[in-house]
Amino acid sequence: MKHFEANFDGLVGPTHNYAGLSFGNVASLNNAALTSNPKAAAKQGLQKAKSLADLGMVQGVLAPQERPDVYTLRRIGFSGSDAEVLQKAAQQAPALLNACCSASSMWTANAATVSPSADTRDGKVHFTPANLVDKLHRSIEPITTGNILQATFNNDRHFKHHQHLPEHTSFGDEGAANHTRLCNEYGHAGVELFVYGQEATNPSAVKPKKYPARQTLEASQAVARLHQLDDESCVFMQQNPDVIDQGVFHNDVISVGNQNVLFYHEQAFLNTEAKFDEIRRKMNTEMHFVKVATSQVSIDDAVRSYLFNTQIITLPSGEMAIIAPTDCQENPAVFAYLNELVTLGTPIKQVRYFDVKQSMQNGGGPACLRLRVAMNEQEVAAVNQNTLMNDGLFTRLNTWVDKHYRDQLTVKDLADPQLIIESRTALDELTQIMKLGSVYQFQK
Ligand SMILES: NCCC[C@H](NC(=O)CCC(=O)O)C(=O)O
């Protein structure tokens, strides 16, 4: 049977804005209060997704969330009509209004952790939405994320959906951004590498000093248990706390894997050699660890360019390609490195650049924008086919964006009562285009 690794990209929502909400994420803080362009953001994302589909990849789309989230604003005491709730929140608690308006669900690498059927004891594909408890604006995502995942992977025979982990910092879970599946072929059992930032229940364990470690070991272990993974197919590795303190808020800002390749910065992890030995032992195939030294690319350049927030994909020809943001072309050290990389004799043979600047300015590169789901052909056939990218969906979604999205938005506009009406009208139409049913609270 054929097997694939599908990428499900997050559609950027109509409220895409820069509010500086993510402490520890350098781009989010530096670009706070910039004017955003939701229309351009959505189109940049669609273009990347369509280009991967055109390369012969299985490519899907995940719907965005309903924002402003007036339900959370009501839950914390703002009352009246939707317009009144927004207006009162803007006057009394603007930071809370901003948190309830973020389009952050676009970064679907943080939507969930996914384990393919070849790795799980029951032979199903398992999904656990990330609780994202470290950031208020992201902690309001998991329930709707679960609804969207269930509407997209809507077949009990092949897909198993779990509830997100308990909403406590001990179980801080950021999903696939801290999870990499290594394997020989996508359809063969692989090794799932969970990278965590801190151990919540061990006060003497090392952790970052300045910025939060968003993922805990306890959360990663819980996901591995839920997904019915064997110990022999899991490796838990700690991220280097020093790089978290330099802006590496997720592991996918400092390393990325595909099949038997792990592309990483030499400062990415703790205990690197011992853990790589464990990976070698648990994998039944040769591994390529492609190391980038600090002398080649500094942590600062890696964080600015998002060299490691690239996607490594296996093209239908069997060759691997790197999908990089154009920011990597603009950084001389990183561009020189990538030009050299494709000549080094590793499985990575080409680099393709995409402009995803609207997302990059909030700290989300090509890899943040996608959730990987390795599937065999039966499982791909069981996916909601209206979520899969092709010429028709690309045209429909571009037309839909043109019709409903603004081309500029500032934090000041978030209380505009018209924005919530526009956003709901757009999402209602989207659920019809993608045949998702009623996934949003305003539809229930
Ligand atoms: N995987 C990339 C995630 C980026 C995301 N940025 C944000 O939420 C920024 C939102 C703002 O500041 O408006 C985050 O930090 O979780």
Side-chain angles (χ1 to χ4, degrees):
M1 195 173 346
K2 282 198 192 143
H3 30 77
F4 314 87
E5 185 170 81
N7 288 288
F8 279 79
D9 280 40
L11 246 177
V12 179
T15 64
H16 164 63
N17 74 92
Y18 302 117
L21 300 175
S22 276
F23 178 63
N25 169 344
V26 181
S28 154
L29 291 193
N30 288 348
N31 294 313
L34 219 68
T35 300
S36 66
N37 184 336
K39 186 178 282 186
K43 291 197 158 204
Q44 287 172 354
L46 283 172
Q47 191 55 57
K48 169 173 92 77
K50 178 61 161 59
S51 301
L52 264 71
D54 289 345
L55 287 170
M57 308 297 293
V58 180
Q59 176 71 53
V61 175
L62 291 175
Q65 305 221 347
E66 179 192 349
R67 296 289 180 270
D69 177 353
V70 284
Y71 316 99
T72 297
L73 291 171
R74 287 181 198 283
R75 187 174 161 194
I76 57 176
F78 295 105
S79 58
S81 65
D82 289 341
E84 284 164 349
V85 165
L86 294 170
Q87 195 198 14
K88 287 180 194 169
Q91 279 164 1
Q92 297 169 33
L96 300 180
L97 174 67
N98 294 350
C100 291
C101 292
S102 177
S104 52
S105 67
M106 66 201 267
W107 297 295
T108 52
N110 311 118
T113 306
V114 184
S115 296
S117 56
D119 296 353
T120 62
R121 282 194 293 278
D122 64 359
K124 292 187 182 185
V125 186
H126 286 241
F127 297 82
T128 299
N131 61 20
L132 300 167
V133 286
D134 186 63
K135 298 281 177 270
L136 174 61
H137 69 291
R138 305 219 60 182
S139 69
I140 56 179
E141 295 177 28
I143 292 176
T144 303
T145 298
N147 293 345
I148 291 169
L149 288 172
Q150 292 189 40
T152 307
F153 302 93
N154 56 352
N155 182 309
D156 293 346
R157 208 158 73 86
H158 294 292
F159 305 119
K160 172 80 187 159
H161 295 276
H162 300 278
Q163 189 187 356
H164 59 277
L165 297 180
E167 292 126 2
H168 184 268
T169 48
S170 298
F171 288 108
D173 180 17
E174 301 275 320
N178 296 315
H179 172 258
T180 306
R181 177 174 183 258
L182 303 165
C183 61
N184 180 11
E185 297 288 338
Y186 293 123
H188 298 174
V191 167
E192 300 202 11
L193 173 60
F194 291 85
V195 181
Y196 60 93
Q198 67 170 320
E199 268 180 73
T201 53
N202 175 3
S204 59
V206 289
K207 59 179 189 192
K209 297 186 176 71
K210 184 174 164 198
Y211 291 146
R214 299 198 202 179
Q215 180 86 32
T216 67
L217 171 62
E218 290 79 355
S220 299
Q221 289 170 329
V223 171
R225 273 191 299 273
L226 285 167
H227 290 196
Q228 302 186 20
L229 305 176
D230 289 328
D231 289 347
E232 273 311 293
S233 63
C234 291
V235 175
F236 299 92
M237 195 168 181
Q238 185 166 359
Q239 214 188 325
N240 177 358
D242 292 345
V243 300
I244 296 180
D245 281 338
Q246 292 170 69
V248 181
F249 58 95
H250 287 142
N251 174 60
D252 69 359
V253 177
I254 200 77
S255 86
V256 54
N258 177 50
Q259 290 184 312
N260 61 348
V261 173
L262 187 67
F263 177 52
Y264 72 105
H265 192 279
E266 69 173 334
Q267 295 187 56
F269 309 111
L270 288 185
N271 234 337
T272 309
E273 285 317 315
K275 285 291 166 179
F276 283 7
D277 280 345
E278 186 182 340
I279 294 172
R280 280 190 197 94
R281 187 171 59 73
K282 293 181 170 177
M283 289 279 288
N284 287 320
T285 190
E286 185 201 1
M287 274 297 301
H288 298 271
F289 292 103
V290 182
K291 171 165 94 176
V292 181
T294 309
S295 58
Q296 294 170 293
V297 176
S298 66
I299 296 294
D300 190 49
D301 279 340
V303 171
R304 281 171 197 275
S305 68
Y306 266 34
L307 169 61
F308 299 96
N309 201 264
T310 45
Q311 297 174 244
I312 305 179
I313 60 172
T314 303
L315 298 166
S317 66
E319 216 169 83
M320 291 193 194
I322 284 201
I323 304 300
T326 46
D327 309 66
C328 286
Q329 271 176 315
E330 292 153 17
N331 181 303
V334 170
F335 190 50
Y337 175 79
L338 281 170
N339 286 336
E340 196 193 332
L341 171 64
V342 292
T343 68
L344 293 180
T346 76
I348 303 166
K349 303 294 184 206
Q350 29 171 306
V351 186
R352 288 169 185 260
Y353 295 95
F354 289 87
D355 178 1
V356 288
K357 281 202 189 292
Q358 284 287 323
S359 169
M360 284 288 288
Q361 289 177 161
N362 248 340
C368 290
L369 285 162
R370 62 94 171 91
L371 181 66
R372 290 185 279 189
V373 187
M375 288 180 283
N376 61 37
E377 53 192 338
Q378 272 181 0
E379 290 157 354
V380 173
V383 171
N384 173 345
Q385 299 295 300
N386 305 287
T387 65
L388 296 180
M389 184 55 86
N390 52 36
D391 292 343
L393 187 64
F394 184 65
T395 306
R396 277 193 292 282
L397 291 179
N398 272 294
T399 308
W400 171 81
V401 169
D402 281 328
K403 181 169 157 199
H404 297 287
Y405 280 51
R406 299 190 184 186
D407 58 13
Q408 55 183 42
L409 197 66
T410 64
V411 167
K412 238 179 34 267
D413 300 322
L414 299 175
D416 175 0
Q418 201 51 39
L419 185 65
I420 188 169
I421 297 170
E422 285 167 25
S423 175
R424 284 182 177 162
T425 308
L427 295 183
D428 206 34
E429 199 175 308
L430 182 69
T431 53
Q432 292 162 39
I433 296 173
M434 293 172 68
K435 300 203 173 27
L436 295 175
S438 301
V439 289
Y440 300 115
Q441 227 163 317
F442 77 89
Q443 295 175 315
K444 307 224 175 206

